[in-house]
Amino acid sequence: MQKLEDLELEDELVLDAGTGACGMTKILGEKEGKIVSVDMEREYLKDCRDQTYSADFIQADLSEMGFIESESFDHVFCKATISALSVNKSLFVTSVLREFYRILKDKGQLTIIDYYPFEEKTSPVPLDELQVEIWRLEKAVFELLGESHLEEYSPEALEDELLSIGFKEADHSIFRKDLPWSGLMEEHEKLILKDMEKIEDRYLREALEKKLQNIMDSSENKEIISGALFELTAKK
């Protein structure tokens, strides 16, 4: 199966499942496909619409895309979204994957790009301690607030799920971004601080803020390289 960089998408109907920061929508637009970009967050859609005119934008739940006809898309791309599904409890992974299967044409292709789980024992590349620490702190804050957190899925587990749904083929490759994670550390810091404001216990909040500050201080003048990512492709 072809990887993203090798795909020819001209005039093909393509779904960007999870608009996010607009990176994938813009990449797909450059390949001259007919792009539909879907996200639950209106803010993401607005920001992306301001950055590109090469896509149609729809605010919707990826697990309930009844407005899309069955077997109508040539490709579905889902980058850094599967791991974020548990943030909204209505978005269960299986229901989203089933929707991808439904809207794909026969022989259509699904491509998922996401982070490999941050587990030292199973990670195919060395993990940066600070990246893991800020991830765990973010997860702890979410759990204290009784909310879901980003949930990492291994490509092997997703392959099994896709095959059980009906996809005929599924395989994956592992890679690592060359870009440093420093900018992403700052993004996570902002998100964590925003959520910490919801913690009513002042002493607990201050302790968590101190932990966060220690992590950020340690990250100054240090190149933080991302953990491994995977690109999973599956054919209907």
Tab-separated table of all heavy atoms in Angstrom, residues 140-187:
chain	number	residue	atom	x	y	z
A	140	ALA	N	-2.364	13.212	34.592
A	140	ALA	CA	-2.734	13.274	36.007
A	140	ALA	C	-3.745	14.385	36.260
A	140	ALA	O	-4.714	14.205	37.016
A	140	ALA	CB	-1.488	13.490	36.862
A	141	VAL	N	-3.539	15.543	35.623
A	141	VAL	CA	-4.471	16.665	35.793
A	141	VAL	C	-5.842	16.299	35.244
A	141	VAL	O	-6.869	16.559	35.878
A	141	VAL	CB	-3.915	17.936	35.110
A	141	VAL	CG1	-4.966	19.041	35.100
A	141	VAL	CG2	-2.653	18.408	35.821
A	142	PHE	N	-5.876	15.675	34.074
A	142	PHE	CA	-7.154	15.250	33.490
A	142	PHE	C	-7.886	14.291	34.425
A	142	PHE	O	-9.092	14.398	34.637
A	142	PHE	CB	-6.911	14.565	32.143
A	142	PHE	CG	-6.987	15.482	30.957
A	142	PHE	CD1	-5.973	16.398	30.708
A	142	PHE	CD2	-8.064	15.446	30.092
A	142	PHE	CE1	-6.034	17.239	29.618
A	142	PHE	CE2	-8.129	16.287	28.997
A	142	PHE	CZ	-7.115	17.192	28.762
A	143	GLU	N	-7.136	13.335	34.983
A	143	GLU	CA	-7.761	12.337	35.858
A	143	GLU	C	-8.277	12.979	37.142
A	143	GLU	O	-9.331	12.597	37.662
A	143	GLU	CB	-6.768	11.216	36.156
A	143	GLU	CG	-6.490	10.336	34.938
A	143	GLU	CD	-5.420	9.295	35.194
A	143	GLU	OE1	-4.739	9.387	36.241
A	143	GLU	OE2	-5.252	8.401	34.350
A	144	LEU	N	-7.555	13.949	37.694
A	144	LEU	CA	-8.013	14.668	38.889
A	144	LEU	C	-9.316	15.403	38.624
A	144	LEU	O	-10.166	15.535	39.515
A	144	LEU	CB	-6.942	15.672	39.341
A	144	LEU	CG	-5.745	15.089	40.099
A	144	LEU	CD1	-4.648	16.136	40.238
A	144	LEU	CD2	-6.187	14.595	41.476
A	145	LEU	N	-9.491	15.857	37.410
A	145	LEU	CA	-10.710	16.572	37.035
A	145	LEU	C	-11.827	15.622	36.605
A	145	LEU	O	-12.918	16.055	36.255
A	145	LEU	CB	-10.409	17.562	35.900
A	145	LEU	CG	-9.450	18.713	36.261
A	145	LEU	CD1	-9.059	19.477	35.016
A	145	LEU	CD2	-10.087	19.640	37.287
A	146	GLY	N	-11.538	14.314	36.612
A	146	GLY	CA	-12.539	13.331	36.222
A	146	GLY	C	-12.818	13.321	34.736
A	146	GLY	O	-13.907	12.945	34.291
A	147	GLU	N	-11.815	13.729	33.956
A	147	GLU	CA	-11.988	13.784	32.511
A	147	GLU	C	-11.103	12.738	31.832
A	147	GLU	O	-10.159	12.222	32.423
A	147	GLU	CB	-11.624	15.181	31.978
A	147	GLU	CG	-12.491	16.286	32.565
A	147	GLU	CD	-12.046	17.662	32.134
A	147	GLU	OE1	-11.098	17.762	31.341
A	147	GLU	OE2	-12.651	18.649	32.610
A	148	SER	N	-11.423	12.455	30.570
A	148	SER	CA	-10.593	11.536	29.796
A	148	SER	C	-9.324	12.240	29.366
A	148	SER	O	-9.230	13.462	29.385
A	148	SER	CB	-11.360	11.052	28.562
A	148	SER	OG	-12.544	10.396	28.942
A	149	HIS	N	-8.344	11.467	28.963
A	149	HIS	CA	-7.086	12.035	28.481
A	149	HIS	C	-6.727	11.369	27.165
A	149	HIS	O	-7.301	10.355	26.788
A	149	HIS	CB	-5.970	11.811	29.493
A	149	HIS	CG	-4.656	12.421	29.078
A	149	HIS	ND1	-3.649	11.702	28.516
A	149	HIS	CD2	-4.235	13.700	29.113
A	149	HIS	CE1	-2.631	12.508	28.240
A	149	HIS	NE2	-2.969	13.715	28.594
A	150	LEU	N	-5.775	11.957	26.477
A	150	LEU	CA	-5.270	11.331	25.265
A	150	LEU	C	-4.891	9.892	25.560
A	150	LEU	O	-4.252	9.602	26.555
A	150	LEU	CB	-4.038	12.093	24.764
A	150	LEU	CG	-4.233	13.587	24.495
A	150	LEU	CD1	-2.913	14.199	24.047
A	150	LEU	CD2	-5.296	13.805	23.450
A	151	GLU	N	-5.295	8.995	24.693
A	151	GLU	CA	-5.056	7.570	24.897
A	151	GLU	C	-4.253	7.038	23.727
A	151	GLU	O	-4.667	7.153	22.580
A	151	GLU	CB	-6.393	6.831	24.991
A	151	GLU	CG	-6.297	5.430	25.523
A	151	GLU	CD	-5.881	5.398	26.981
A	151	GLU	OE1	-6.423	6.183	27.776
A	151	GLU	OE2	-5.012	4.578	27.310
A	152	GLU	N	-3.091	6.477	24.016
A	152	GLU	CA	-2.243	5.975	22.935
A	152	GLU	C	-2.647	4.556	22.553
A	152	GLU	O	-2.838	3.713	23.406
A	152	GLU	CB	-0.785	5.977	23.377
A	152	GLU	CG	-0.296	7.310	23.897
A	152	GLU	CD	0.655	7.126	25.053
A	152	GLU	OE1	1.858	6.995	24.813
A	152	GLU	OE2	0.183	7.082	26.203
A	153	TYR	N	-2.740	4.330	21.243
A	153	TYR	CA	-3.061	3.003	20.726
A	153	TYR	C	-1.883	2.512	19.896
A	153	TYR	O	-1.354	3.249	19.063
A	153	TYR	CB	-4.322	3.045	19.861
A	153	TYR	CG	-5.565	3.433	20.610
A	153	TYR	CD1	-5.956	4.763	20.687
A	153	TYR	CD2	-6.331	2.477	21.260
A	153	TYR	CE1	-7.093	5.136	21.397
A	153	TYR	CE2	-7.470	2.833	21.966
A	153	TYR	CZ	-7.847	4.165	22.030
A	153	TYR	OH	-8.966	4.533	22.743
A	154	SER	N	-1.502	1.271	20.097
A	154	SER	CA	-0.413	0.723	19.292
A	154	SER	C	-0.941	0.422	17.893
A	154	SER	O	-2.128	0.103	17.716
A	154	SER	CB	0.128	-0.566	19.917
A	154	SER	OG	-0.810	-1.618	19.766
A	155	PRO	N	-0.082	0.512	16.875
A	155	PRO	CA	-0.535	0.192	15.520
A	155	PRO	C	-0.971	-1.265	15.386
A	155	PRO	O	-1.876	-1.582	14.605
A	155	PRO	CB	0.698	0.495	14.655
A	155	PRO	CG	1.851	0.466	15.600
A	155	PRO	CD	1.318	0.950	16.906
A	156	GLU	N	-0.344	-2.141	16.178
A	156	GLU	CA	-0.718	-3.556	16.119
A	156	GLU	C	-2.165	-3.755	16.576
A	156	GLU	O	-2.933	-4.508	15.958
A	156	GLU	CB	0.217	-4.395	16.997
A	156	GLU	CG	1.664	-4.434	16.525
A	156	GLU	CD	2.503	-3.254	16.998
A	156	GLU	OE1	1.974	-2.368	17.696
A	156	GLU	OE2	3.698	-3.220	16.660
A	157	ALA	N	-2.555	-3.065	17.656
A	157	ALA	CA	-3.927	-3.179	18.159
A	157	ALA	C	-4.919	-2.600	17.149
A	157	ALA	O	-6.007	-3.158	16.928
A	157	ALA	CB	-4.053	-2.459	19.493
A	158	LEU	N	-4.553	-1.493	16.528
A	158	LEU	CA	-5.441	-0.883	15.530
A	158	LEU	C	-5.575	-1.769	14.300
A	158	LEU	O	-6.665	-1.878	13.723
A	158	LEU	CB	-4.911	0.494	15.134
A	158	LEU	CG	-5.016	1.588	16.196
A	158	LEU	CD1	-4.310	2.857	15.723
A	158	LEU	CD2	-6.477	1.893	16.524
A	159	GLU	N	-4.488	-2.410	13.889
A	159	GLU	CA	-4.557	-3.323	12.745
A	159	GLU	C	-5.560	-4.442	13.014
A	159	GLU	O	-6.388	-4.775	12.158
A	159	GLU	CB	-3.176	-3.917	12.461
A	159	GLU	CG	-2.246	-2.971	11.732
A	159	GLU	CD	-0.889	-3.610	11.459
A	159	GLU	OE1	-0.730	-4.816	11.738
A	159	GLU	OE2	0.005	-2.909	10.972
A	160	ASP	N	-5.491	-5.031	14.198
A	160	ASP	CA	-6.425	-6.110	14.555
A	160	ASP	C	-7.866	-5.615	14.499
A	160	ASP	O	-8.763	-6.317	14.003
A	160	ASP	CB	-6.116	-6.644	15.957
A	160	ASP	CG	-4.820	-7.431	16.017
A	160	ASP	OD1	-4.332	-7.845	14.945
A	160	ASP	OD2	-4.293	-7.621	17.128
A	161	GLU	N	-8.097	-4.402	15.010
A	161	GLU	CA	-9.440	-3.843	15.016
A	161	GLU	C	-9.932	-3.583	13.589
A	161	GLU	O	-11.079	-3.880	13.256
A	161	GLU	CB	-9.443	-2.537	15.816
A	161	GLU	CG	-10.819	-1.949	16.070
A	161	GLU	CD	-11.660	-2.811	16.994
A	161	GLU	OE1	-11.088	-3.601	17.766
A	161	GLU	OE2	-12.894	-2.700	16.934
A	162	LEU	N	-9.073	-3.056	12.745
A	162	LEU	CA	-9.458	-2.758	11.363
A	162	LEU	C	-9.799	-4.036	10.600
A	162	LEU	O	-10.772	-4.070	9.838
A	162	LEU	CB	-8.331	-2.000	10.654
A	162	LEU	CG	-8.101	-0.565	11.141
A	162	LEU	CD1	-6.788	-0.022	10.584
A	162	LEU	CD2	-9.265	0.330	10.735
A	163	LEU	N	-9.017	-5.080	10.794
A	163	LEU	CA	-9.292	-6.348	10.120
A	163	LEU	C	-10.601	-6.962	10.605
A	163	LEU	O	-11.355	-7.546	9.819
A	163	LEU	CB	-8.130	-7.317	10.339
A	163	LEU	CG	-6.808	-6.932	9.661
A	163	LEU	CD1	-5.678	-7.863	10.097
A	163	LEU	CD2	-6.942	-6.936	8.140
A	164	SER	N	-10.898	-6.797	11.899
A	164	SER	CA	-12.158	-7.346	12.427
A	164	SER	C	-13.364	-6.581	11.895
A	164	SER	O	-14.453	-7.135	11.772
A	164	SER	CB	-12.151	-7.299	13.962
A	164	SER	OG	-12.266	-5.963	14.435
A	165	ILE	N	-13.174	-5.300	11.556
A	165	ILE	CA	-14.247	-4.483	11.007
A	165	ILE	C	-14.542	-4.860	9.558
A	165	ILE	O	-15.674	-4.745	9.094
A	165	ILE	CB	-13.881	-2.984	11.115
A	165	ILE	CG1	-13.970	-2.539	12.576
A	165	ILE	CG2	-14.785	-2.105	10.241
A	165	ILE	CD1	-13.397	-1.154	12.825
A	166	GLY	N	-13.513	-5.319	8.836
A	166	GLY	CA	-13.741	-5.712	7.451
A	166	GLY	C	-12.677	-5.275	6.463
A	166	GLY	O	-12.732	-5.650	5.288
A	167	PHE	N	-11.698	-4.473	6.913
A	167	PHE	CA	-10.621	-4.088	6.000
A	167	PHE	C	-9.864	-5.335	5.564
A	167	PHE	O	-9.629	-6.239	6.356
A	167	PHE	CB	-9.672	-3.098	6.680
A	167	PHE	CG	-10.200	-1.698	6.756
A	167	PHE	CD1	-10.952	-1.281	7.846
A	167	PHE	CD2	-9.956	-0.796	5.727
A	167	PHE	CE1	-11.443	0.024	7.922
A	167	PHE	CE2	-10.445	0.507	5.788
A	167	PHE	CZ	-11.194	0.916	6.884
A	168	LYS	N	-9.472	-5.367	4.286
A	168	LYS	CA	-8.841	-6.571	3.735
A	168	LYS	C	-7.353	-6.639	4.052
A	168	LYS	O	-6.786	-7.719	4.199
A	168	LYS	CB	-9.044	-6.613	2.219
A	168	LYS	CG	-10.498	-6.750	1.785
A	168	LYS	CD	-10.577	-6.911	0.269
A	168	LYS	CE	-12.021	-7.089	-0.186
A	168	LYS	NZ	-12.769	-5.830	-0.112
A	169	GLU	N	-6.706	-5.484	4.115
A	169	GLU	CA	-5.270	-5.445	4.377
A	169	GLU	C	-4.981	-4.325	5.371
A	169	GLU	O	-5.663	-3.310	5.386
A	169	GLU	CB	-4.483	-5.151	3.093
A	169	GLU	CG	-4.735	-6.085	1.945
A	169	GLU	CD	-4.035	-5.580	0.688
A	169	GLU	OE1	-2.800	-5.352	0.746
A	169	GLU	OE2	-4.714	-5.397	-0.332
A	170	ALA	N	-3.936	-4.512	6.146
A	170	ALA	CA	-3.501	-3.458	7.066
A	170	ALA	C	-2.037	-3.696	7.416
A	170	ALA	O	-1.649	-4.817	7.735
A	170	ALA	CB	-4.347	-3.450	8.335
A	171	ASP	N	-1.225	-2.649	7.305
A	171	ASP	CA	0.163	-2.755	7.751
A	171	ASP	C	0.647	-1.379	8.194
A	171	ASP	O	-0.022	-0.371	7.959
A	171	ASP	CB	1.077	-3.347	6.672
A	171	ASP	CG	1.082	-2.522	5.393
A	171	ASP	OD1	1.089	-1.281	5.477
A	171	ASP	OD2	1.089	-3.113	4.305
A	172	HIS	N	1.800	-1.340	8.846
A	172	HIS	CA	2.292	-0.068	9.363
A	172	HIS	C	3.806	0.008	9.305
A	172	HIS	O	4.490	-1.011	9.165
A	172	HIS	CB	1.831	0.135	10.813
A	172	HIS	CG	2.546	-0.736	11.800
A	172	HIS	ND1	2.135	-2.021	12.099
A	172	HIS	CD2	3.659	-0.516	12.565
A	172	HIS	CE1	2.938	-2.549	12.999
A	172	HIS	NE2	3.880	-1.657	13.297
A	173	SER	N	4.311	1.224	9.406
A	173	SER	CA	5.749	1.458	9.499
A	173	SER	C	5.989	2.459	10.623
A	173	SER	O	5.112	3.258	10.956
A	173	SER	CB	6.304	1.995	8.175
A	173	SER	OG	5.660	3.200	7.804
A	174	ILE	N	7.179	2.401	11.202
A	174	ILE	CA	7.547	3.274	12.310
A	174	ILE	C	8.537	4.324	11.812
A	174	ILE	O	9.426	4.026	11.017
A	174	ILE	CB	8.207	2.471	13.448
A	174	ILE	CG1	7.268	1.339	13.923
A	174	ILE	CG2	8.583	3.375	14.609
A	174	ILE	CD1	6.015	1.812	14.590
A	175	PHE	N	8.371	5.554	12.250
A	175	PHE	CA	9.333	6.584	11.902
A	175	PHE	C	9.446	7.569	13.060
A	175	PHE	O	8.706	7.490	14.033
A	175	PHE	CB	8.944	7.303	10.601
A	175	PHE	CG	7.645	8.072	10.676
A	175	PHE	CD1	7.644	9.444	10.871
A	175	PHE	CD2	6.423	7.424	10.520
A	175	PHE	CE1	6.453	10.152	10.929
A	175	PHE	CE2	5.226	8.130	10.573
A	175	PHE	CZ	5.241	9.502	10.777
A	176	ARG	N	10.386	8.489	12.926
A	176	ARG	CA	10.600	9.474	13.982
A	176	ARG	C	10.798	10.844	13.351
A	176	ARG	O	11.559	10.979	12.397
A	176	ARG	CB	11.829	9.121	14.812
A	176	ARG	CG	11.993	9.972	16.062
A	176	ARG	CD	13.106	9.451	16.952
A	176	ARG	NE	13.016	10.003	18.291
A	176	ARG	CZ	13.721	9.581	19.317
A	176	ARG	NH1	14.574	8.592	19.162
A	176	ARG	NH2	13.581	10.129	20.507
A	177	LYS	N	10.110	11.836	13.853
A	177	LYS	CA	10.260	13.189	13.325
A	177	LYS	C	11.639	13.734	13.661
A	177	LYS	O	12.163	13.524	14.750
A	177	LYS	CB	9.201	14.122	13.923
A	177	LYS	CG	7.827	13.981	13.298
A	177	LYS	CD	6.909	15.046	13.871
A	177	LYS	CE	5.544	14.993	13.219
A	177	LYS	NZ	4.622	16.007	13.796
A	178	ASP	N	12.210	14.444	12.706
A	178	ASP	CA	13.497	15.090	12.960
A	178	ASP	C	13.326	16.406	13.712
A	178	ASP	O	14.253	16.913	14.311
A	178	ASP	CB	14.218	15.367	11.631
A	178	ASP	CG	14.597	14.077	10.920
A	178	ASP	OD1	14.859	13.091	11.628
A	178	ASP	OD2	14.619	14.070	9.682
A	179	LEU	N	12.108	16.962	13.649
A	179	LEU	CA	11.883	18.258	14.290
A	179	LEU	C	11.869	18.129	15.806
A	179	LEU	O	11.324	17.174	16.347
A	179	LEU	CB	10.552	18.848	13.824
A	179	LEU	CG	10.453	19.180	12.331
A	179	LEU	CD1	9.039	19.641	11.996
A	179	LEU	CD2	11.457	20.263	11.970
A	180	PRO	N	12.469	19.083	16.509
A	180	PRO	CA	12.445	19.048	17.980
A	180	PRO	C	11.035	19.262	18.519
A	180	PRO	O	10.175	19.814	17.843
A	180	PRO	CB	13.378	20.195	18.378
A	180	PRO	CG	13.372	21.112	17.205
A	180	PRO	CD	13.215	20.232	16.000
A	181	TRP	N	10.826	18.851	19.765
A	181	TRP	CA	9.509	18.902	20.394
A	181	TRP	C	9.344	20.141	21.257
A	181	TRP	O	8.352	20.288	21.957
A	181	TRP	CB	9.328	17.647	21.261
A	181	TRP	CG	7.992	17.004	21.150
A	181	TRP	CD1	7.465	16.385	20.059
A	181	TRP	CD2	7.006	16.879	22.186
A	181	TRP	NE1	6.226	15.870	20.332
A	181	TRP	CE2	5.920	16.165	21.635
A	181	TRP	CE3	6.946	17.295	23.510
A	181	TRP	CZ2	4.782	15.863	22.367
A	181	TRP	CZ3	5.812	16.984	24.242
A	181	TRP	CH2	4.747	16.293	23.671
A	182	SER	N	10.314	21.045	21.221
A	182	SER	CA	10.304	22.192	22.138
A	182	SER	C	9.032	23.015	22.022
A	182	SER	O	8.419	23.397	23.020
A	182	SER	CB	11.529	23.077	21.873
A	182	SER	OG	12.708	22.335	22.028
A	183	GLY	N	8.616	23.330	20.798
A	183	GLY	CA	7.388	24.102	20.603
A	183	GLY	C	6.176	23.385	21.153
A	183	GLY	O	5.279	24.011	21.735
A	184	LEU	N	6.155	22.064	21.017
A	184	LEU	CA	5.033	21.284	21.543
A	184	LEU	C	5.043	21.261	23.069
A	184	LEU	O	3.977	21.178	23.689
A	184	LEU	CB	5.079	19.853	20.989
A	184	LEU	CG	4.697	19.713	19.512
A	184	LEU	CD1	4.934	18.292	19.038
A	184	LEU	CD2	3.235	20.101	19.295
A	185	MET	N	6.214	21.335	23.677
A	185	MET	CA	6.275	21.425	25.136
A	185	MET	C	5.524	22.665	25.610
A	185	MET	O	4.749	22.623	26.572
A	185	MET	CB	7.738	21.495	25.602
A	185	MET	CG	8.524	20.221	25.443
A	185	MET	SD	8.062	18.914	26.613
A	185	MET	CE	8.789	19.541	28.128
A	186	GLU	N	5.728	23.766	24.918
A	186	GLU	CA	5.063	25.020	25.297
A	186	GLU	C	3.557	24.932	25.079
A	186	GLU	O	2.771	25.461	25.870
A	186	GLU	CB	5.667	26.175	24.497
A	186	GLU	CG	7.112	26.458	24.857
A	186	GLU	CD	7.772	27.426	23.898
A	186	GLU	OE1	7.103	27.878	22.949
A	186	GLU	OE2	8.963	27.734	24.099
A	187	GLU	N	3.148	24.252	24.009
A	187	GLU	CA	1.716	24.074	23.761
A	187	GLU	C	1.078	23.273	24.885
A	187	GLU	O	-0.003	23.606	25.373
A	187	GLU	CB	1.494	23.371	22.418
A	187	GLU	CG	1.737	24.254	21.211
A	187	GLU	CD	1.402	23.550	19.923
A	187	GLU	OE1	0.551	22.643	19.943
A	187	GLU	OE2	1.998	23.887	18.885
